[in-house]
Amino acid sequence: MNILVTGISGRIGANLAKAFVEAGHTVRGLVWANDRRLDKLTALNVELIEGTIENPADVDKAVAGVDAICHLAAAFQGGGPFTNQQYFDINVRGTFNMLEAARQHAPNLQHFFYASTDAIYEKYIPGGMTVPIQEDTMKIAPVGQYAITKYLGEEMCRGYYRTYHLPITIFRFALALAGDEVLNFSQFYLSHWLKVYENLSGAAAAQVRAQLQQLRPASEEAAQKCLLVARDENGRTYKKHVADVRDIVRGFTDALGKPGAVGEVFQLAAPTPYTWEETIPYLAQKLGVDYVDVRLAGHMTTFYEFDMRKGQRLFGYQPSYDMGKMIDDAIAFRAGQATGVIPTHG
């Protein structure tokens, strides 16, 4: 297939392009003129077209004649700052331009993938989620311009599927990590929670703040390296569901051209969630550092996981990188050992 990838210079886009090229596909990317990350693509045999998704003429040129589109380009929290107008112009108007171009200039289009986000879910609630999150039943409650505009893009995609029969698939990404990023995940570290509790008020928060200060190692170096098993006020471990970039890429390669994926929305994430109770001792042992175990009263609990069965059922999605594998590969990556991932940021 001839496949267009927008956002091709980002961590997911570059690795997706690499996977498609290795599978024998022809890959085209739409890139803006001042993108400093294009050196990551020099080793790949891809066609790069200069332009932006905000310009219909650029989009028309990029889309012309392709068989599949992976629309990843977006304004997002980590890439800004962006104004509210920029969020709308890039994420909403840009997606409209992509859909219109696909309808008019890609007569043999077999698949249009839209990259959305788990940020549209209301998953941080008092006490945490009691059941796994399912794509078609979970409450949608986007907060902030990024989540709002990504959900508007979803609605447009669904509308173009119903109205023009475009072969749309919507992927909601979990937090995606690549390279050694998981080793730097701030919520694993005591130093993060010290900063959080500096700004929390109330008696419960004050007690936790005092405990954190008491547990803080004396040396600054040890304090920065010290990990923390996060628990809620009742002692239940925190639980979260993220994704290795390779499993995000696997979603696209598994679904490409599969009729069961068309017209549907799927969550992309690791095969299983992880808990702090299991992860922190393992990570501490691998890094050779200490950890503490704390009940974080007075703070919103992180406790959720995704039900991954829909993707498995409809297009055979088989993610394989759980937290243990992600940590092992991150340590290997930091040591300079190849993991098959292009280490891009953004």
Side-chain angles (χ1 to χ4, degrees), residues 2-14:
N2 185 13
I3 303 173
L4 169 65
V5 179
T6 69
I8 194 172
S9 63
R11 61 159 65 82
I12 295 172

Side-chain angles (χ1 to χ4, degrees), residues 156-284:
M156 279 196 294
C157 287
R158 278 186 276 264
Y160 272 69
Y161 169 72
R162 293 190 301 268
T163 306
Y164 303 110
H165 308 293
L166 279 185
I168 300 291
T169 294
I170 296 167
F171 282 149
R172 293 177 184 154
F173 297 171
L175 172 66
L177 299 168
D180 64 350
E181 290 172 339
V182 69
L183 305 182
N184 301 320
F185 187 53
S186 63
Q187 294 176 26
F188 288 163
Y189 289 86
L190 171 62
S191 59
H192 167 82
W193 295 105
L194 283 165
K195 292 177 182 178
V196 168
Y197 274 86
E198 284 178 0
N199 301 312
L200 294 182
S201 59
Q207 290 180 350
V208 174
R209 183 162 55 245
Q211 182 183 10
L212 293 173
Q213 290 289 354
Q214 184 178 16
L215 292 170
R216 185 183 188 275
S219 79
E220 184 61 29
E221 181 180 2
Q224 291 300 316
K225 292 180 178 179
C226 185
L227 303 175
L228 181 145
V229 175
R231 300 183 186 275
D232 66 16
E233 59 188 4
N234 297 314
R236 182 182 60 175
T237 180
Y238 276 28
K239 180 169 67 173
K240 190 177 180 72
H241 209 154
V242 297
D244 188 287
V245 161
R246 291 167 291 185
D247 279 336
I248 298 289
V249 169
R250 182 69 180 268
F252 287 87
T253 58
D254 282 352
L256 182 64
K258 300 283 184 63
V262 173
E264 299 287 347
V265 56
F266 301 96
Q267 183 66 48
L268 298 186
T272 57
Y274 69 89
T275 68
W276 268 248
E277 186 176 62
E278 295 174 336
T279 299
I280 295 304
Y282 184 76
L283 180 58

